[in-house]
PDB file of all heavy atoms in Angstrom:
ATOM      1  N   GLN A 167     -10.544  14.656  -0.486  1.00 69.00           N
ATOM      2  CA  GLN A 167     -10.892  13.818  -1.629  1.00 69.00           C
ATOM      3  C   GLN A 167     -11.929  14.467  -2.525  1.00 69.00           C
ATOM      4  O   GLN A 167     -11.879  14.338  -3.746  1.00 69.00           O
ATOM      5  CB  GLN A 167     -11.397  12.462  -1.137  1.00 69.00           C
ATOM      6  CG  GLN A 167     -11.686  11.476  -2.269  1.00 69.00           C
ATOM      7  CD  GLN A 167     -11.990  10.093  -1.745  1.00 69.00           C
ATOM      8  OE1 GLN A 167     -12.052   9.886  -0.534  1.00 69.00           O
ATOM      9  NE2 GLN A 167     -12.184   9.144  -2.632  1.00 69.00           N
ATOM     10  N   ASP A 168     -12.889  15.184  -1.935  1.00 69.00           N
ATOM     11  CA  ASP A 168     -13.939  15.809  -2.736  1.00 69.00           C
ATOM     12  C   ASP A 168     -13.408  16.984  -3.558  1.00 69.00           C
ATOM     13  O   ASP A 168     -13.935  17.284  -4.627  1.00 69.00           O
ATOM     14  CB  ASP A 168     -15.073  16.297  -1.826  1.00 69.00           C
ATOM     15  CG  ASP A 168     -15.805  15.141  -1.149  1.00 69.00           C
ATOM     16  OD1 ASP A 168     -15.795  14.034  -1.726  1.00 69.00           O
ATOM     17  OD2 ASP A 168     -16.364  15.345  -0.063  1.00 69.00           O
ATOM     18  N   GLU A 169     -12.371  17.641  -3.051  1.00 72.00           N
ATOM     19  CA  GLU A 169     -11.845  18.814  -3.743  1.00 72.00           C
ATOM     20  C   GLU A 169     -10.774  18.445  -4.778  1.00 72.00           C
ATOM     21  O   GLU A 169     -10.673  19.081  -5.814  1.00 72.00           O
ATOM     22  CB  GLU A 169     -11.248  19.802  -2.727  1.00 72.00           C
ATOM     23  CG  GLU A 169     -12.291  20.392  -1.780  1.00 72.00           C
ATOM     24  CD  GLU A 169     -11.674  21.406  -0.843  1.00 72.00           C
ATOM     25  OE1 GLU A 169     -10.446  21.593  -0.912  1.00 72.00           O
ATOM     26  OE2 GLU A 169     -12.402  22.011  -0.055  1.00 72.00           O
ATOM     27  N   THR A 170      -9.978  17.432  -4.464  1.00 77.00           N
ATOM     28  CA  THR A 170      -8.903  17.027  -5.376  1.00 77.00           C
ATOM     29  C   THR A 170      -8.968  15.514  -5.616  1.00 77.00           C
ATOM     30  O   THR A 170      -8.084  14.777  -5.179  1.00 77.00           O
ATOM     31  CB  THR A 170      -7.529  17.401  -4.791  1.00 77.00           C
ATOM     32  OG1 THR A 170      -7.394  16.809  -3.482  1.00 77.00           O
ATOM     33  CG2 THR A 170      -7.376  18.897  -4.685  1.00 77.00           C
ATOM     34  N   PRO A 171     -10.018  15.051  -6.297  1.00 79.00           N
ATOM     35  CA  PRO A 171     -10.165  13.595  -6.488  1.00 79.00           C
ATOM     36  C   PRO A 171      -9.024  12.973  -7.279  1.00 79.00           C
ATOM     37  O   PRO A 171      -8.604  11.860  -6.985  1.00 79.00           O
ATOM     38  CB  PRO A 171     -11.499  13.466  -7.233  1.00 79.00           C
ATOM     39  CG  PRO A 171     -11.741  14.800  -7.850  1.00 79.00           C
ATOM     40  CD  PRO A 171     -11.115  15.800  -6.928  1.00 79.00           C
ATOM     41  N   LEU A 172      -8.516  13.684  -8.292  1.00 82.00           N
ATOM     42  CA  LEU A 172      -7.411  13.138  -9.084  1.00 82.00           C
ATOM     43  C   LEU A 172      -6.168  12.981  -8.225  1.00 82.00           C
ATOM     44  O   LEU A 172      -5.546  11.910  -8.204  1.00 82.00           O
ATOM     45  CB  LEU A 172      -7.113  14.045 -10.281  1.00 82.00           C
ATOM     46  CG  LEU A 172      -5.863  13.680 -11.090  1.00 82.00           C
ATOM     47  CD1 LEU A 172      -6.006  12.311 -11.730  1.00 82.00           C
ATOM     48  CD2 LEU A 172      -5.562  14.744 -12.140  1.00 82.00           C
ATOM     49  N   LEU A 173      -5.805  14.031  -7.511  1.00 85.00           N
ATOM     50  CA  LEU A 173      -4.607  14.005  -6.672  1.00 85.00           C
ATOM     51  C   LEU A 173      -4.735  12.957  -5.573  1.00 85.00           C
ATOM     52  O   LEU A 173      -3.809  12.181  -5.313  1.00 85.00           O
ATOM     53  CB  LEU A 173      -4.365  15.391  -6.071  1.00 85.00           C
ATOM     54  CG  LEU A 173      -3.122  15.556  -5.201  1.00 85.00           C
ATOM     55  CD1 LEU A 173      -1.868  15.225  -5.993  1.00 85.00           C
ATOM     56  CD2 LEU A 173      -3.041  16.977  -4.643  1.00 85.00           C
ATOM     57  N   TYR A 174      -5.898  12.909  -4.921  1.00 84.00           N
ATOM     58  CA  TYR A 174      -6.125  11.941  -3.857  1.00 84.00           C
ATOM     59  C   TYR A 174      -6.038  10.520  -4.397  1.00 84.00           C
ATOM     60  O   TYR A 174      -5.434   9.642  -3.781  1.00 84.00           O
ATOM     61  CB  TYR A 174      -7.496  12.180  -3.211  1.00 84.00           C
ATOM     62  CG  TYR A 174      -7.744  11.377  -1.954  1.00 84.00           C
ATOM     63  CD1 TYR A 174      -7.495  11.934  -0.698  1.00 84.00           C
ATOM     64  CD2 TYR A 174      -8.210  10.060  -2.020  1.00 84.00           C
ATOM     65  CE1 TYR A 174      -7.714  11.195   0.461  1.00 84.00           C
ATOM     66  CE2 TYR A 174      -8.432   9.322  -0.865  1.00 84.00           C
ATOM     67  CZ  TYR A 174      -8.185   9.904   0.367  1.00 84.00           C
ATOM     68  OH  TYR A 174      -8.403   9.167   1.517  1.00 84.00           O
ATOM     69  N   SER A 175      -6.645  10.290  -5.552  1.00 84.00           N
ATOM     70  CA  SER A 175      -6.637   8.961  -6.150  1.00 84.00           C
ATOM     71  C   SER A 175      -5.226   8.520  -6.498  1.00 84.00           C
ATOM     72  O   SER A 175      -4.842   7.362  -6.269  1.00 84.00           O
ATOM     73  CB  SER A 175      -7.507   8.940  -7.414  1.00 84.00           C
ATOM     74  OG  SER A 175      -7.431   7.702  -8.076  1.00 84.00           O
ATOM     75  N   LEU A 176      -4.410   9.422  -7.023  1.00 88.00           N
ATOM     76  CA  LEU A 176      -3.042   9.084  -7.393  1.00 88.00           C
ATOM     77  C   LEU A 176      -2.195   8.774  -6.161  1.00 88.00           C
ATOM     78  O   LEU A 176      -1.439   7.793  -6.150  1.00 88.00           O
ATOM     79  CB  LEU A 176      -2.411  10.225  -8.190  1.00 88.00           C
ATOM     80  CG  LEU A 176      -2.998  10.501  -9.578  1.00 88.00           C
ATOM     81  CD1 LEU A 176      -2.297  11.688 -10.234  1.00 88.00           C
ATOM     82  CD2 LEU A 176      -2.900   9.271 -10.474  1.00 88.00           C
ATOM     83  N   VAL A 177      -2.321   9.590  -5.120  1.00 88.00           N
ATOM     84  CA  VAL A 177      -1.531   9.370  -3.905  1.00 88.00           C
ATOM     85  C   VAL A 177      -1.950   8.081  -3.215  1.00 88.00           C
ATOM     86  O   VAL A 177      -1.122   7.265  -2.803  1.00 88.00           O
ATOM     87  CB  VAL A 177      -1.662  10.574  -2.945  1.00 88.00           C
ATOM     88  CG1 VAL A 177      -0.999  10.273  -1.605  1.00 88.00           C
ATOM     89  CG2 VAL A 177      -1.040  11.820  -3.570  1.00 88.00           C
ATOM     90  N   PHE A 178      -3.274   7.875  -3.092  1.00 84.00           N
ATOM     91  CA  PHE A 178      -3.783   6.667  -2.442  1.00 84.00           C
ATOM     92  C   PHE A 178      -3.427   5.420  -3.251  1.00 84.00           C
ATOM     93  O   PHE A 178      -2.918   4.434  -2.704  1.00 84.00           O
ATOM     94  CB  PHE A 178      -5.294   6.763  -2.268  1.00 84.00           C
ATOM     95  CG  PHE A 178      -5.918   5.518  -1.694  1.00 84.00           C
ATOM     96  CD1 PHE A 178      -5.934   5.316  -0.321  1.00 84.00           C
ATOM     97  CD2 PHE A 178      -6.482   4.551  -2.511  1.00 84.00           C
ATOM     98  CE1 PHE A 178      -6.501   4.180   0.224  1.00 84.00           C
ATOM     99  CE2 PHE A 178      -7.046   3.409  -1.978  1.00 84.00           C
ATOM    100  CZ  PHE A 178      -7.057   3.218  -0.605  1.00 84.00           C
ATOM    101  N   GLY A 179      -3.696   5.459  -4.549  1.00 84.00           N
ATOM    102  CA  GLY A 179      -3.425   4.298  -5.394  1.00 84.00           C
ATOM    103  C   GLY A 179      -1.955   3.953  -5.439  1.00 84.00           C
ATOM    104  O   GLY A 179      -1.573   2.781  -5.330  1.00 84.00           O
ATOM    105  N   GLU A 180      -1.109   4.980  -5.574  1.00 87.00           N
ATOM    106  CA  GLU A 180       0.329   4.704  -5.615  1.00 87.00           C
ATOM    107  C   GLU A 180       0.810   4.121  -4.296  1.00 87.00           C
ATOM    108  O   GLU A 180       1.655   3.227  -4.268  1.00 87.00           O
ATOM    109  CB  GLU A 180       1.109   5.981  -5.902  1.00 87.00           C
ATOM    110  CG  GLU A 180       2.576   5.725  -6.201  1.00 87.00           C
ATOM    111  CD  GLU A 180       3.524   6.704  -5.526  1.00 87.00           C
ATOM    112  OE1 GLU A 180       3.069   7.789  -5.125  1.00 87.00           O
ATOM    113  OE2 GLU A 180       4.708   6.363  -5.403  1.00 87.00           O
ATOM    114  N   GLY A 181       0.250   4.595  -3.174  1.00 85.00           N
ATOM    115  CA  GLY A 181       0.666   4.090  -1.867  1.00 85.00           C
ATOM    116  C   GLY A 181       0.448   2.599  -1.728  1.00 85.00           C
ATOM    117  O   GLY A 181       1.316   1.867  -1.242  1.00 85.00           O
TER     118      GLY A 181
END
Side-chain angles (χ1 to χ4, degrees):
Q167 184 172 4
D168 294 334
E169 295 183 357
T170 56
L172 173 63
L173 182 59
Y174 189 95
S175 175
L176 293 178
V177 172
F178 176 84
E180 190 223 341

